[in-house]
């Protein structure tokens, strides 16, 4: 099935980072790290209580120094080295794909490492000690405005959608890893890929919502399953 020319799109979700110690979103109690999602992941929450939202993301930003990429992230970077045309799209806001060697992961829901100015739209990586521990950070470009997390909250537009749609329309294989299939537009990528004729593979701890559309499904932990699968996919063609 695979050659170096096979065009592949991969979508990852919180499950790929779970084995690195980052908690997934949809715990059975409906809370995210003990907060209501509405309070910490919506523009309305930010307007209501910027201090709470800021501290919540500051904690997530500091956590990046305590976690490491796991074998799932590393296997995906090896697959990218092997293939001529692979787009890695992640819903995750952590930096573990890049730290595992992935070259240009598309962070459709933003990045914890970056902050964005609400006034002038300046975006930058701001991970110095004072950035991580301040009660707020002001914009280095227009100095007084307050920076917000560079995160796509509910009711906001995901990033780089045109690029993602182009790749989905052309891919031979679509692989979804560690995502529950609850949040659109990402949850619709499987149906789009399937509709235009891609072979669709799922890897997840539990059956995701859109399970029926997969041509092939591997149930289990991404960090345990992916290294072997990717070795298998790439070995026969070397
Ligand atoms: N390996 C593979 N899958 C796993 C693992 C693992 N080790 N651990 C958990 N999973 C699976 C869970 O079974 C679940 O189906 O990963 C999925 C995680 O689902 P969610 O917590 O809903 O995360 P995700 O789908 O990425 O959420 C999408 O929702 O809150 C928003 O913007 C946020 O990007 C996030 C989006």
């Amino acid at each position: 099935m695979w050659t170096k020319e096979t065009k592949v799109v991969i979508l990852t979700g919180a499950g790929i980072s779970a084995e690195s110690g980052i908690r997934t979103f949809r715990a059975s109690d409906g809370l995210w790290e003990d907060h209501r999602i509405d309070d910490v992941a919506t523009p309305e929450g930010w307007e209501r209580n910027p201090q709470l939202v800021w501290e919540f993301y500051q904690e997530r930003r500091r956590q990046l120094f305590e976690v490491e990429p796991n074998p799932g992230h590393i296997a995906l970077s090896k697959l990218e080295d092997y293939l001529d045309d692979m787009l890695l799209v992640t819903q995750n806001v952590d930096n573990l794909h890049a730290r595992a060697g992935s070259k240009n992961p598309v962070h459709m829901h933003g990045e914890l490492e970056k902050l964005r100015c609400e006034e002038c739209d300046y975006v930058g990586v701001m991970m110095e000690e004072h950035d991580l521990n301040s009660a707020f950070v002001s914009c280095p470009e227009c100095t007084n405005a307050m920076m917000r997390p560079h995160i796509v909250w509910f009711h906001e537009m995901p990033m780089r959608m045109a690029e993602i749609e182009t790749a989905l329309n052309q891919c031979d294989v679509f692989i979804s890893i560690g995502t529950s299939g609850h949040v659109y537009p990402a949850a619709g990528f499987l149906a789009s890929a399937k509709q235009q004729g891609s072979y669709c593979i799922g890897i997840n701890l539990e059956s995701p919502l859109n399970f029926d559309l997969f041509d092939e499904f591997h149930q289990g932990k991404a960090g345990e399953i992916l290294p072997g699968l990717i070795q298998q996919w790439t070995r026969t063609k070397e």
Side-chain angles (χ1 to χ4, degrees):
M1 181 177 83
W2 295 76
T3 67
K4 282 179 183 297
E5 289 78 39
T6 305
K7 292 183 181 159
V8 178
V9 173
I10 299 188
L11 172 69
T12 64
I16 187 103
S17 295
E19 288 155 81
S20 295
I22 298 181
R23 270 169 69 179
T24 58
F25 299 93
R26 280 170 192 79
S28 52
D29 55 9
L31 299 178
W32 180 18
E33 300 280 357
D34 304 325
H35 292 280
R36 289 173 54 228
I37 285 182
D38 265 3
D39 288 340
V40 292
T42 61
E44 294 76 19
W46 173 242
E47 254 175 54
R48 263 195 318 268
N49 193 343
Q51 206 178 343
L52 171 83
V53 177
W54 178 253
E55 262 321 308
F56 178 80
Y57 285 97
Q58 285 289 67
E59 238 178 79
R60 312 270 84 69
R61 281 155 50 76
R62 291 190 290 260
Q63 189 193 22
L64 294 179
F65 292 96
E66 290 156 21
V67 294
E68 296 290 336
N70 68 55
H73 297 106
I74 293 165
L76 289 180
S77 90
K78 288 192 180 143
L79 182 62
E80 183 179 300
D81 288 343
Y82 170 80
L83 292 168
D84 293 339
D85 188 344
M86 171 180 138
L87 185 72
L88 175 60
V89 181
T90 185
Q91 298 168 87
N92 298 344
V93 293
D94 64 54
N95 57 7
L96 295 178
H97 281 305
R99 284 170 55 196
S102 290
K103 288 176 198 76
N104 185 20
V106 173
H107 281 274
M108 65 180 290
H109 290 170
E111 291 171 76
L112 283 169
E113 289 183 325
K114 294 180 180 170
L115 299 177
R116 178 164 89 239
C117 177
E118 297 217 90
E119 294 293 323
C120 72
D121 283 341
Y122 168 84
V123 176
V125 173
M126 300 181 87
M127 292 292 282
E128 299 299 324
E129 204 172 324
H130 57 91
D131 301 321
L132 293 165
N133 293 303
S134 301
F136 71 91
V137 172
S138 54
C139 176
E141 291 290 311
C142 60
T143 58
N144 281 328
M146 181 175 163
M147 302 294 276
R148 60 162 271 180
H150 187 52
I151 300 289
V152 176
W153 288 322
F154 286 96
H155 317 141
E156 296 184 320
M157 258 319 240
M159 296 171 189
R160 296 172 67 178
M161 284 303 293
E163 190 183 338
I164 297 170
E165 274 160 22
T166 303
L168 281 172
N169 283 333
Q170 296 168 357
C171 68
D172 304 306
V173 176
F174 172 77
I175 310 175
S176 163
I177 305 163
T179 175
S180 61
H182 276 88
V183 175
Y184 282 82
F189 294 172
L190 171 60
S192 305
K194 180 86 185 162
Q195 199 172 18
Q196 67 81 29
S198 312
Y199 186 78
C200 296
I201 303 174
I203 294 154
N204 222 68
L205 196 55
E206 300 146 4
S207 297
L209 280 186
N210 39 19
F211 172 77
D212 290 349
L213 294 175
F214 289 115
D215 296 293
E216 186 180 317
F217 183 74
H218 302 268
Q219 184 156 15
K221 293 187 173 178
E224 291 174 5
I225 292 177
L226 269 174
L229 272 181
I230 285 173
Q231 201 186 22
Q232 196 183 312
W233 291 335
T234 54
R235 187 180 43 205
T236 48
K237 304 295 173 197
E238 275 170 0

